[in-house]
Amino acid sequence: MTDSKRTRGLILNGASGVGKSRTLQELGALLGENAVAHALVDLDFLTLSWPRPQDDPWGGQVARENLAAVTSNYRRNGIERVVVAHVYTDRTHLDGCRAALGAASADEAPLIRLRASRAVVEQRLRARHAADAPWELDGFLAGHDALTHALDAADLDDDIIDVDGLDPRAVAERVIEAAGW
């Protein structure tokens, strides 16, 4: 397979605790059950390096460069779909990630936001960070409302899925439907 074959992307967006990582896993299960060659990328892991460049303190440029490299490798190895999870409040970062996926348009890599009520997010974050230092949980909870507001204000999403009351499988099925996959 050549690098010229276009790989379709799907980008999950949303605040911490809405279920991006769990949905990513469930999407992998659904795509696998349907024999769709796919890869799953939590973009946070592609930023984990130290020290970060002074002009890239959040690792966004590093993440986009790493995403382009792994997408190229996936494409050469027959991967048809790449699903990426991250938080997007900036058009430049989103466009850079779409470009890294080889997407010529939002149709080839739609941004689908998962949204949950504060009560659901708080319950999930408390469970996830039960063994962590209290300040870590407090930081996520304190930042939730501001991040949700920033996501709303950015208005980047191609679709929004409210996840309250849905199990992870149902969320993944709605994401696949919204992406037209």
Side-chain angles (χ1 to χ4, degrees), residues 31-45:
L31 292 169
E33 290 166 15
N34 290 295
V36 175
H38 66 279
L40 309 173
V41 179
D42 184 330
L43 202 61
D44 287 346
F45 289 107

Side-chain angles (χ1 to χ4, degrees), residues 1 5 7 37-38 73-81:
M1 180 157 308
K5 182 180 186 298
T7 300
H38 66 279
N73 290 336
Y74 287 144
R75 189 178 302 121
R76 273 194 312 276
N77 287 286
I79 297 299
E80 300 169 22
R81 311 279 167 90

Side-chain angles (χ1 to χ4, degrees), residues 20-33 40 167-173 176:
K20 294 183 303 293
S21 296
R22 184 67 183 102
T23 300
L24 191 69
Q25 294 170 350
E26 198 63 41
L27 286 166
L30 282 170
L31 292 169
E33 290 166 15
L40 309 173
D167 64 35
R169 181 74 168 207
V171 174
E173 288 169 347
I176 285 175

Side-chain angles (χ1 to χ4, degrees), residues 36-174:
V36 175
H38 66 279
L40 309 173
V41 179
D42 184 330
L43 202 61
D44 287 346
F45 289 107
L46 297 183
T47 68
L48 296 177
S49 61
W50 187 89
R52 288 190 176 154
Q54 287 184 338
D55 62 345
D56 189 21
W58 296 105
Q61 182 62 36
V62 168
R64 291 186 295 274
E65 290 170 3
N66 288 340
L67 182 59
V70 298
T71 299
S72 178
N73 290 336
Y74 287 144
R75 189 178 302 121
R76 273 194 312 276
N77 287 286
I79 297 299
E80 300 169 22
R81 311 279 167 90
V82 178
V83 184
V84 177
H86 196 55
V87 179
Y88 295 89
T89 59
D90 176 83
R91 169 70 61 193
T92 301
H93 182 48
L94 172 60
D95 290 345
C97 286
R98 281 183 170 143
L101 288 167
S105 68
D107 290 338
E108 293 178 3
L111 180 69
I112 299 174
R113 180 171 161 200
L114 305 182
R115 185 170 56 191
S117 67
R118 180 133 186 354
V120 166
V121 168
E122 186 169 340
Q123 177 185 8
R124 290 177 178 178
L125 290 176
R126 286 190 184 285
R128 181 193 309 168
H129 296 283
D132 295 341
W135 61 264
E136 208 166 344
L137 171 62
D138 292 344
F140 278 110
L141 291 173
H144 172 75
D145 294 332
L147 183 53
T148 298
H149 178 72
L151 289 163
D152 290 341
D155 192 31
L156 299 174
D157 308 295
D158 298 306
D159 207 338
I160 298 174
I161 297 172
D162 289 308
V163 301
D164 286 10
L166 298 176
D167 64 35
R169 181 74 168 207
V171 174
E173 288 169 347
R174 289 190 184 186

